[in-house]
Amino acid sequence: MPAISGASAGRTRWMRVTGWVPPAVAFVLGVWGNTAPSAWTDEIVTIDVARRSWPQLMELLGRVDAVHGLHYVLMWLVGQVCGGLTEFWPRVASAAAVAVAAGGLAWLGRLLGGPRLGLCAGLLLAVLPTASRYAQEARSFAFVMAVAVLATGALVKILAGRARGRWLVCYAVLIALLGWFNLLGMLLPAAHAVTVALLRPGRRVVVRLFLAQAAGVAAVVPLLILASAQSSAVGDAAPVTAGTPFAYFTWLLTPGQGTLPTPLKLLLTLTALAALTLLVVRRRKAPPLALAVGVPWATVPPLLLAVVSLDHPLFAYRYLLFCLPALALLLATALTVVPLRAQLLFVLLTAVPLASSHLAIRREDSRPWDTGAVRTTLRIHDAPGDAVLFSGARCGLIATAFKESFTGRPDLGRARTAAELGALDDLPADPALLQQRLAHTPRVWRIDCNHLSGGAREAAARTAASQEQALARAGFSPVYRHSVRGVDITLEERTTAEARNGRAASGRSGPE
């Protein structure tokens, strides 16, 4: 008996130690190189909003983007604790959220199929490039994923017969948090309902679970009402087509930023599909609970969102990041039902694509806007008296998010800041004010952001045309052009005669 007790204690210690491996790996991969990728549109909005005063933040959320309000508040608190906010700290917070998701999935896997399944599932989630990509994103999607994992774990505890008050309350709170982090996270309870239908736990458990879920959903209703009045703030998404399922599945494995070669992307995708096919063939050897939880979680939310998107396009892959742990769980389950040789083959086939994708997502130009290249260009080529002129939705927030790079370079196209307006966009200067400012400026850096949605692209084109006309009237002409991912950079300079006239006008009227 003592020997058995000692062996049991050793296994318990081993489980505790290995339980920390997935979150540690996830956090290290999330923090590794997290300052290298350029902050892009959505992240710049997060930085700008989180730097505002508390009254300004509350004013904004009462008007627009309340769906991201909980994340903005958290990032505002991070900024207060850290004494300021750059892209580094919000990304660290996202890395911590992914670590929670990986650790939570390891715990969930143990509940569903034992320690081996838990460790494998947690590690798979930790090393998937898409998880690391959003661990380095200053947005709420990593938090949605973490809450989804914990909510599913609470569901499993309740279904296992532990329908005590604490787990029911925990489940209700987690469902509420899921919706407050992102309304589309409320697609997960539909997957949970399918799991409950498959497992048939008994009327008493079902009723208690339904009440807990209803309480969680009810807590999100105020946000839903507020967000319905702010629907104009929702960005465009591509329409659902016949190729969407395969593209979405590939994105879950490696984010599509155009930096991973197609052959490697196909190798990774086809290997994962082969593993899932083997799981279907050998499903009788798999833990039934893992399939009953993982399959609905992986399939129901994207199917529902695809149906909704047929009328109003909302199928942006990042909204479904909370389904990534389900894929990791199913892939881990597949590895537990195949021979060791097949497991080694899976590792060998995916090693190079995974490593290449991890390197690719850490490149400076791996995001839709290469704002790092913009700041580098200005630092190398600028001169005293230079000004900037932005076009493209929220492009001007680059100067707000990176004030240190734009010190001494006034934004000629901005009349009032977004913070002053309680909005997400700056108020543009009218043509007369822009013309007046141009009269006192020797050189202007035009920064045109071109990675935009359809409506924003049309508005940006009109703004750019208006700016070109104003520059031409003021005697400016382009002397330098440089294009990077998502951004065009043009240096406009006065001709010699116009420069003399501008200096004379400046001497008469003084600087604006």
Side-chain angles (χ1 to χ4, degrees):
M1 285 298 292
I4 295 175
S5 299
S8 177
R11 282 195 299 270
T12 301
R13 285 194 297 270
W14 173 247
M15 286 173 57
R16 288 176 179 174
V17 171
T18 56
W20 285 101
V21 173
V25 172
F27 186 74
V28 169
L29 288 176
V31 175
W32 166 42
N34 82 337
T35 59
S38 291
W40 68 292
T41 332
D42 290 356
E43 292 188 287
I44 288 171
V45 169
T46 298
I47 295 170
D48 175 63
V49 170
R51 282 179 172 176
R52 300 182 187 185
S53 67
W54 182 257
Q56 287 177 330
L57 177 57
M58 292 299 101
E59 181 185 11
L60 170 75
L61 297 181
R63 294 180 176 179
V64 70
D65 232 18
V67 291
H68 298 298
L70 180 57
H71 183 250
Y72 288 152
V73 169
L74 286 177
M75 293 306 100
W76 184 87
L77 292 172
V78 168
Q80 298 303 304
V81 171
C82 299
L85 204 68
T86 63
E87 70 268 38
F88 176 75
W89 288 114
R91 288 177 174 179
V92 170
S94 292
V98 171
V100 170
L105 189 63
W107 166 63
L108 176 60
R110 288 196 300 272
L111 295 177
L112 297 174
R116 183 184 173 201
L117 176 60
L119 180 62
C120 187
L123 279 176
L124 267 175
L125 179 61
V127 302
L128 281 174
T130 302
S132 288
R133 163 66 175 81
Y134 286 90
Q136 299 184 347
E137 175 99 337
R139 296 298 279 178
S140 63
F141 304 111
F143 292 85
V144 179
M145 181 171 69
V147 175
V149 172
L150 297 178
T152 305
L155 171 73
V156 171
K157 282 286 191 180
I158 296 169
L159 293 176
R162 298 187 175 98
R164 296 176 181 175
R166 63 172 183 170
W167 283 113
L168 290 166
V169 171
C170 182
Y171 182 69
V173 170
L174 288 168
I175 292 298
L177 281 176
L178 193 65
W180 276 89
F181 270 120
N182 193 303
L183 282 174
L184 290 177
M186 299 309 290
L187 295 170
L188 181 66
H192 287 177
V194 174
T195 296
V196 172
L198 291 173
L199 295 177
R200 300 179 182 179
R203 181 179 297 179
R204 184 179 179 184
V205 173
V206 171
V207 170
R208 289 187 174 188
L209 188 58
F210 172 78
L211 291 175
Q213 194 175 93
V217 173
V220 184
V221 170
L223 176 62
L224 183 62
I225 294 172
L226 181 59
S228 64
Q230 301 178 352
S231 58
S232 60
V234 178
D236 294 342
V240 174
T241 65
T244 297
F246 184 80
Y248 164 65
F249 183 78
T250 300
W251 174 87
L252 286 173
L253 298 167
T254 175
Q257 299 293 342
T259 50
L260 190 64
T262 300
L264 290 180
K265 190 178 291 187
L266 281 175
L267 176 61
L268 183 61
T269 303
L270 294 178
T271 301
L273 285 173
L276 294 178
T277 302
L278 285 174
L279 177 60
V280 173
V281 173
R282 296 174 175 242
R283 61 188 178 277
R284 297 187 184 280
K285 295 184 178 181
L289 277 176
L291 297 179
V293 170
V295 173
W297 185 3
T299 57
V300 172
L303 285 173
L304 290 176
L305 189 57
V307 171
V308 172
S309 297
L310 294 176
D311 179 59
H312 181 74
L314 282 173
F315 203 93
Y317 301 156
R318 62 186 182 275
Y319 295 153
L320 293 167
L321 183 70
F322 67 87
C323 294
L324 182 62
L327 177 60
L329 176 64
L330 292 175
L331 288 173
T333 305
L335 291 179
T336 62
V337 299
V338 297
L340 179 61
R341 287 176 297 177
Q343 297 174 16
L344 293 175
L345 181 61
F346 177 85
V347 172
L348 290 174
L349 288 175
T350 58
V352 173
L354 289 176
S356 299
S357 185
H358 273 287
L359 293 174
I361 63 175
R362 288 165 175 81
R363 287 170 42 181
E364 182 182 74
D365 62 349
S366 64
R367 304 299 193 261
W369 286 4
D370 190 355
T371 55
V374 174
R375 291 143 58 198
T376 300
T377 300
L378 293 181
R379 185 175 64 249
I380 294 173
H381 298 287
D382 75 326
D386 283 4
V388 292
L389 193 58
F390 294 93
S391 72
R394 293 163 198 165
C395 195
L397 294 183
I398 296 174
T400 306
F402 303 105
K403 292 181 179 179
E404 67 283 354
S405 298
F406 290 86
T407 302
R409 303 185 185 100
D411 182 358
L412 304 183
R414 181 175 62 198
R416 294 180 65 192
T417 66
E420 293 170 343
L421 297 169
L424 294 177
D425 298 289
D426 295 331
L427 177 68
D430 59 54
L433 179 58
L434 176 58
Q435 205 72 47
Q436 186 180 7
R437 289 173 172 176
L438 286 171
H440 310 303
T441 307
R443 302 199 318 172
V444 177
W445 289 95
R446 280 187 55 206
I447 301 171
D448 304 319
C449 298
N450 52 49
H451 184 90
L452 305 167
S453 60
R457 193 178 300 115
E458 295 175 3
R462 291 193 297 269
T463 300
S466 175
Q467 290 175 351
E468 288 176 1
Q469 293 173 3
L471 288 164
R473 285 195 299 269
F476 285 86
S477 59
V479 296
Y480 172 83
R481 296 182 189 273
H482 181 49
S483 293
V484 296
R485 186 181 181 91
V487 185
D488 296 321
I489 309 165
T490 306
L491 174 59
E492 301 272 356
E493 197 170 288
R494 288 181 185 276
T495 60
T496 304
E498 292 292 342
R500 284 198 298 268
N501 294 337
R503 284 194 295 270
S506 177
R508 290 192 300 271
S509 59
E512 176 64 21

